[in-house]
Amino acid sequence: MTSRRVLFFETLTILILIILTFSLSVFFDIFEKIIDFAWKHEEYEIDEIFSLLGISSIYFLIFLIRRVKDLHNSFNKLESLAVIDSLTGILNRRKILELIDKELLRVRRYSSVATLIILDYDKFKNINDTFGHTAGDYVLRNISEQISVSLRDSDSLGRLGGDEFVILLPNQDRAEGLIIAERIRKKISSKPLNYKGSDIFMSLSLGVIQITGKEENVPEIINNADSQLYKSKNEGRNKVR
């Protein structure tokens, strides 16, 4: 469990304890008032008083459970927003880079393998210029969806920014990564995307590298992948290198 996640749960626990403490304080205050009421109004049977107290306790408990549940759901949403790209629904830049860093450490420690694919949309600016930025956003979401369903549960897809994406493939060497990248390239370019009655022809350029564990840091890994991406672009785009 990451230190960030530990901090999240510690904060949630503290807030729940604060709510419980406050709620119990309010409950006991109400309890004292009911007892005081019972002493001052002897015409009420003690069974009626305790029946009222029991019903109040049940409603109070239901209220407390709902408030704690609402708080937990709110924190889950906040945690999700911290790692998810708001446009595409995939991992954001910070989270995907964090996962790459962890994978680098894992490869070093266990002498394992991992592959990184970096990709971007060919001539994405033309989409925005021709159809507008809303169409560009639609294309990015579509690409994200198509790539996501092509990956394993253990793989990670993130958006670095703009039209540039990263795929992290744990326990896959570069040869396997090239096969996956080519499958994605063909899938995206196989048929145009229809947007408000117009066909948008899509293609990707992809660069594939194997994480060896000898890299100094994540920026070096990204730079190595970028070099392969530039090769695919310089060779005519819509290629895997």
Side-chain angles (χ1 to χ4, degrees):
M1 184 177 290
T2 64
S3 58
R4 186 183 299 275
R5 193 168 183 83
V6 169
L7 178 61
F8 164 75
F9 281 109
E10 287 179 347
T11 304
L12 179 60
T13 301
I14 291 172
L15 286 174
I16 291 175
L17 289 174
I18 290 173
I19 290 176
L20 286 173
T21 302
F22 174 76
S23 300
L24 287 173
S25 174
V26 172
F27 176 76
F28 283 119
D29 184 55
I30 294 173
F31 178 80
E32 289 178 358
K33 284 182 170 56
I34 292 175
I35 295 300
D36 183 60
F37 176 85
W39 283 110
K40 292 179 179 179
H41 299 79
E42 296 182 357
E43 67 271 19
Y44 289 95
E45 294 291 336
I46 192 67
D47 290 345
E48 294 176 337
I49 298 297
F50 279 102
S51 177
L52 177 62
L53 182 61
I55 294 173
S56 301
S57 300
I58 292 172
Y59 278 107
F60 175 78
L61 182 60
I62 293 173
F63 168 80
L64 186 60
I65 291 173
R66 285 178 176 174
R67 295 292 77 76
V68 172
K69 188 176 180 180
D70 289 343
L71 181 63
H72 185 267
N73 290 337
S74 296
F75 266 87
N76 283 340
K77 289 179 181 178
L78 287 173
E79 187 184 29
S80 176
L81 289 173
V83 300
I84 298 298
D85 178 65
S86 59
L87 175 63
T88 60
I90 62 176
L91 298 177
N92 61 19
R93 178 184 179 90
R94 182 187 64 80
K95 185 60 179 180
I96 192 64
L97 292 180
E98 177 185 311
L99 292 179
I100 296 171
D101 185 52
K102 289 181 180 178
E103 191 62 21
L104 173 60
L105 296 177
R106 189 190 69 82
V107 169
R108 286 175 180 169
R109 182 174 182 179
Y110 299 105
S111 299
S112 184
V113 295
T115 292
L116 189 80
I117 302 173
I118 192 166
L119 59 97
D120 69 10
Y121 189 95
D122 292 330
K123 298 182 179 180
F124 182 71
K125 186 176 180 297
N126 290 348
I127 301 296
N128 289 330
D129 292 344
T130 304
F131 300 98
H133 289 279
T134 303
D137 292 345
Y138 181 71
V139 167
L140 294 179
R141 285 193 293 268
N142 181 269
I143 289 173
S144 300
E145 292 170 3
Q146 291 199 61
I147 295 176
S148 294
V149 298
S150 303
L151 302 177
R152 306 169 300 170
D153 291 340
S154 58
D155 301 332
S156 299
L157 171 65
R159 183 183 177 207
L160 285 183
D163 60 325
E164 191 168 49
F165 298 82
V166 166
I167 303 170
L168 180 62
L169 306 171
N171 299 309
Q172 299 266 31
D173 60 23
R174 186 169 185 269
E176 293 169 311
L178 286 169
I179 294 172
I180 294 170
E182 180 62 18
R183 185 167 66 237
I184 291 172
R185 186 196 68 78
K186 287 182 178 179
K187 184 176 184 179
I188 297 298
S189 61
S190 62
K191 61 179 181 179
L193 177 65
N194 185 273
Y195 178 74
K196 294 184 178 180
S198 298
D199 286 337
I200 299 177
F201 292 89
M202 303 188 297
S203 69
L204 302 176
S205 294
L206 305 93
V208 184
I209 65 158
Q210 182 168 315
I211 300 175
T212 64
K214 297 178 181 179
E215 298 87 357
E216 186 173 339
N217 49 35
V218 174
E220 182 178 341
I221 293 174
I222 298 297
N223 287 338
N224 292 342
D226 271 334
S227 296
Q228 294 300 115
L229 175 62
Y230 294 145
K231 286 182 181 179
S232 67
K233 286 186 173 297
N234 291 335
E235 293 175 15
R237 296 185 172 86
N238 193 24
K239 298 182 183 299
V240 174
R241 290 294 178 262

